Amino acid sequence: MPSNYAPVTQNTNALRRTSGLGIIPILVLALGLGGCALNSAGLPGGLPIPPGVSGSLTVRRATLVDGITGRTFNIFIPTSGGSGALTSCTITVGALPAGLSIVVANDPVTGTPISCKISGTITAGAGVVNFTVQVQDGSSPVQTATQAFSITVRAEFAVTTAGALPNEGRQGSTFGATANGPEPIATNVSATVGNAPLTSCVFVLAGNPGFNLTPAPLSASACPLSSGATLLSASGTFTFATNAGVTVQDTAILDPLALYAGLTVAQRTVVPAGTVKNASAITIKVNPTLVASFVQGTVTPNTNPNSTLLDGVDARSYGVINANAGAPNWSVVGGLGAGAAGVANYSWCVSSGGAAVTAIAMTGISTSCAAPTAGVNNVKLTSAAAAAGAAAFAVDVTDAGNLRVASLTITQGTSTINVRALLAINFAQAGNTTAASTLLDGVNAQSYGVINANAGAPIYAGSGGLGSGTAGTVAYQWCISVNGAQVTAIGLSGISTNCAAPTTGSPVLLSSAAAITGTATYTVQLSDTGNEATPLGTVTAGPSVINIQITMTATFVQGVVTPNTNPNSTLLDGSTGLSYGVINANAGAPTYTVAGGLGAGAA
């Protein structure tokens, strides 16, 4: 206890023994010492004050701490001097803040009634309240002392964050573990509103997917919403309910008077810590995890997106037919992409095989992940020009993330486009070394292409394109695009003479088991069916010509003057021992000739 706060307990009998005059002479002596006044420190030279005599009554503090509207307020105003016991504490000028009162109270250090106590719950609004305190003791005559004071009444603090938080979460990712830190749930607590800093934060969140619900304050005025290292386990909109979801506490205001430094914190507390809740609901949206998907085609979709796309064909466009219905379409849902408040769209790129994809004219996606395509949630592989070669590539999609959630990149498998060779007609005919322009000759009224197990039949076969054996397509289609009627006349089989109703199948052959008549010049057409990504293609072979020779006939003649007109019966007579047919330049030699058919010199 400070020495200037010690009660007067000195024994005055010693003074009486030294003077033998009693107490009255001593007082007279004291009063006559150089005009020195008595005070609580005793007589000059340290002599004690006798009982019944005291120094001037004094108020021992000049300032009071702030109060906060709605909270209790409990502060002592100590005194010294006087009789040692106060009889009253009153407000003589002004008034206390509404809700407070002043009384004589035992001082918390001495336990004696030498202090005034201002206490109660402040109900007034914020502002400065001025007043004067007067204290009075039981001296005779009565001693009084006054002291002017002011109390600054602060407003209670509040949670200022309300509504939807600007940064959303993502299922399967952490929240608030980025370099930017947690999401602040802010208050307006300060040195003039409530009493900063905050000391505790408690969250209540139904269905909590992993947020820390009892975090230490983020700063003097905010609580941190974060999952730390915990991955958020669910998606949806989560709500901190009104007046229930967020509870924050600030710091108590303590009495700074040095006289009370040795008291406990509870004894020195003038204004207790305040606890407030959110007046409005606070929500945070957690988006589903980032998922990429693939579809190709609308009628017959490709259901194996991570391996093989619909085939393309060299020199044909890809993915642009039927309003691009057959273009490969990569799309994405979830994550922190388009539509998430305050963030950009998804970004797309080819993470491997970019050069191969460039060769077949990918559009809507970057072939460099250093500069991905942004602003879409789906991309397509299309080509308005020729495709070339085969491409195997992987597509990456990245969402933008936000201040609390790092961006996320996922890879949509490895996709392969099988780019088939040009559609072509391949021709073969046993013994014919030419292409399909000139076929081996035929003979009128004779069958064609059916001897030796049809080895001599002209064979048209398809290659490349989207023919038989291609998943989701039918076989090649064949027809005669020019002069089908001519071909019919010579007994065509295995190929349609009507391109409106082509023959399906490969290979095909042109043959006849009946007599061929006439001559045929025609053009063979081959089509594939394409698919939803690649338009059908058509090629032709020819025009092809079958040269139909006349029917073979034999004739006989002998002589030039008197010919023998009966070749099959009797030649002119000869004579033994004489030459025959050599006279007159052999004019009389029997001569056999042939016309038509496939004789010497015929191809």
Side-chain angles (χ1 to χ4, degrees), residues 426-444:
N426 304 311
F427 173 82
Q429 185 179 38
N432 186 353
T433 58
T434 67
S437 58
T438 303
L439 281 68
L440 295 177
D441 287 354
V443 175
N444 188 35

Side-chain angles (χ1 to χ4, degrees), residues 418-431:
N418 180 28
V419 181
R420 291 175 167 256
L422 290 166
L423 180 65
I425 296 176
N426 304 311
F427 173 82
Q429 185 179 38

Side-chain angles (χ1 to χ4, degrees), residues 112-136:
T112 57
I114 59 171
S115 290
C116 297
K117 180 180 180 182
I118 298 176
S119 62
T121 299
I122 298 176
T123 59
V128 178
V129 180
N130 299 300
F131 55 91
T132 298
V133 173
Q134 178 178 284
V135 296
Q136 181 176 300

Side-chain angles (χ1 to χ4, degrees), residues 488-571:
T488 301
I490 61 171
L492 180 69
S493 65
I495 189 168
S496 173
T497 57
N498 180 9
C499 285
T503 300
T504 298
S506 178
V508 296
L509 56 84
L510 179 68
S511 64
S512 173
I516 294 177
T517 59
T519 301
T521 299
Y522 61 92
T523 299
V524 173
Q525 177 176 296
L526 167 66
S527 298
D528 62 5
T529 56
N531 57 34
E532 289 195 287
T534 306
L536 65 84
T538 299
V539 294
T540 59
S544 299
V545 178
I546 297 180
N547 182 23
I548 307 297
Q549 303 287 336
I550 62 174
T551 302
M552 184 176 64
T553 58
T555 60
F556 173 85
V557 66
Q558 186 178 46
V560 296
V561 179
T562 307
N564 186 339
T565 58
N566 189 359
N568 295 322
S569 58
T570 306
L571 279 68

Side-chain angles (χ1 to χ4, degrees), residues 9 14 87 93 140 145 169 178 189 198-199 230 233 235 260 329 370 434 451 463 503 533 545 561 569 576 579:
T9 57
T87 59
V93 178
S140 181
T178 66
V189 70
L198 298 179
T199 58
T230 301
S233 61
S235 63
Y260 298 142
N329 186 60
T434 67
I451 60 175
S463 65
T503 300
V545 178
V561 179
S569 58
T576 301
S579 61

Side-chain angles (χ1 to χ4, degrees), residues 81-105:
S83 69
L86 297 182
T87 59
S88 70
C89 297
T90 57
I91 304 299
T92 59
V93 178
L96 293 171
L100 300 185
S101 60
I102 186 169
V103 297
V104 175

Side-chain angles (χ1 to χ4, degrees), residues 399-490:
D399 68 359
N402 56 38
L403 289 176
R404 315 303 169 201
V405 184
S407 63
L408 177 64
T409 298
I410 59 174
T411 299
Q412 178 61 24
T414 298
S415 299
T416 301
I417 295 180
N418 180 28
V419 181
R420 291 175 167 256
L422 290 166
L423 180 65
I425 296 176
N426 304 311
F427 173 82
Q429 185 179 38
N432 186 353
T433 58
T434 67
S437 58
T438 303
L439 281 68
L440 295 177
D441 287 354
V443 175
N444 188 35
Q446 290 183 224
S447 63
Y448 185 88
V450 296
I451 60 175
N452 298 322
N454 296 339
I459 297 174
Y460 299 90
S463 65
L466 296 170
S468 58
T470 304
T473 66
V474 298
Y476 296 114
Q477 295 181 332
W478 298 87
C479 66
I480 301 298
S481 61
V482 178
N483 292 333
Q486 279 190 308
V487 174
T488 301
I490 61 171

Side-chain angles (χ1 to χ4, degrees), residues 240-440:
F240 299 94
T242 302
N243 295 322
V246 178
T247 302
V248 291
Q249 187 177 73
D250 67 356
T251 304
I253 299 177
L254 304 183
D255 193 335
L257 195 63
L259 180 65
Y260 298 142
L263 299 179
T264 65
V265 170
Q267 290 173 317
R268 294 177 59 206
T269 296
V270 179
V271 181
T275 300
V276 301
K277 295 181 182 293
N278 54 315
S280 300
I282 302 171
T283 61
I284 180 168
K285 181 181 179 182
V286 178
N287 288 281
T289 188
L290 186 64
V291 176
S293 59
F294 172 87
V295 65
Q296 186 180 40
T298 55
V299 179
T300 309
N302 187 341
T303 57
N304 191 4
N306 293 326
S307 57
T308 306
L309 281 69
L310 295 177
D311 286 356
V313 177
D314 187 19
R316 290 192 219 170
S317 63
Y318 186 88
V320 296
I321 59 175
N322 298 326
N324 297 338
N329 186 60
W330 287 270
S331 61
V332 65
V333 295
L336 294 169
V343 299
N345 291 327
Y346 304 106
S347 296
W348 297 85
C349 66
V350 177
S351 58
S352 64
V357 173
T358 301
I360 58 172
M362 174 173 279
T363 61
I365 186 170
S366 172
T367 55
S368 170
C369 287
T373 303
V376 292
N377 69 342
N378 61 80
V379 291
K380 293 180 177 181
L381 177 68
T382 60
S383 172
F393 57 93
V395 171
D396 280 4
V397 59
T398 303
D399 68 359
N402 56 38
L403 289 176
R404 315 303 169 201
V405 184
S407 63
L408 177 64
T409 298
I410 59 174
T411 299
Q412 178 61 24
T414 298
S415 299
T416 301
I417 295 180
N418 180 28
V419 181
R420 291 175 167 256
L422 290 166
L423 180 65
I425 296 176
N426 304 311
F427 173 82
Q429 185 179 38
N432 186 353
T433 58
T434 67
S437 58
T438 303
L439 281 68
L440 295 177

